[in-house]
Amino acid sequence: QVQLVESGGGWVQTGGSLRLSCVVSGRPIRMLTVGWFRQTPGNEREFVAGHKQTGGATVYSESVKGRFTISKDNGKNTVYLDMNSLKPEDTAVYYCASGERIIVGLIRSAARYDYWGQGTQVTVSS
């Protein structure tokens, strides 16, 4: 059983920065593909960024590329999402998720992930 706990959400003004953390337990993250997704009311969960378990490949949605960075700290079994130049449209609940043997071509698919955190709210004011 893998458990994921997100933290670091909050309120920030347009152009500001936040760092989200996702502490993973139950499995070493070096053995997992980890993704960040976000969701707003009435909408489906949207892929934000993913970190492949092998090779270290990272994938980003077009809407956050160049502004967000996903990284891992294997020693702390923690995944981070550094968010810069935040925009009001980044406002959402952010979730981290983990899965195994997810190929790069499917890393954006929420259905490929087995475990999810509880989410952390990010609010960007204009």
Side-chain angles (χ1 to χ4, degrees):
Q1 185 83 8
V2 176
Q3 293 184 324
L4 304 98
V5 179
E6 304 98 333
S7 63
W11 179 89
V12 66
Q13 289 186 321
T14 297
S17 300
L18 282 174
R19 166 175 262 204
L20 305 184
S21 300
C22 175
V23 178
V24 181
S25 60
R27 200 121 171 97
I29 57 172
R30 58 181 170 79
M31 303 180 71
L32 300 171
T33 290
V34 184
W36 285 97
F37 291 77
R38 64 189 182 187
Q39 189 170 26
T40 53
N43 293 306
E44 293 188 354
R45 209 159 282 190
E46 173 194 14
F47 172 79
V48 174
H51 196 300
K52 189 77 173 65
Q53 71 186 71
T54 54
T58 54
V59 179
Y60 298 91
S61 70
E62 288 300 316
S63 63
V64 307
K65 193 177 293 184
R67 299 187 298 123
F68 291 12
T69 303
I70 186 172
S71 61
K72 284 181 172 181
D73 184 330
N74 289 338
K76 295 182 179 179
N77 227 44
T78 299
V79 183
Y80 302 100
L81 184 68
D82 288 296
M83 306 185 295
N84 298 308
S85 302
L86 282 161
K87 305 174 182 180
E89 51 263 44
D90 295 317
T91 295
V93 177
Y94 283 72
Y95 299 89
C96 66
S98 70
E100 296 189 41
R101 293 180 292 276
I102 302 176
I103 63 173
V104 171
L106 293 176
I107 203 169
R108 293 179 174 86
S109 172
R112 296 293 172 175
Y113 293 79
D114 302 309
Y115 297 98
W116 293 80
Q118 82 289 350
T120 185
Q121 175 72 45
V122 171
T123 303
V124 184
S125 67
S126 56

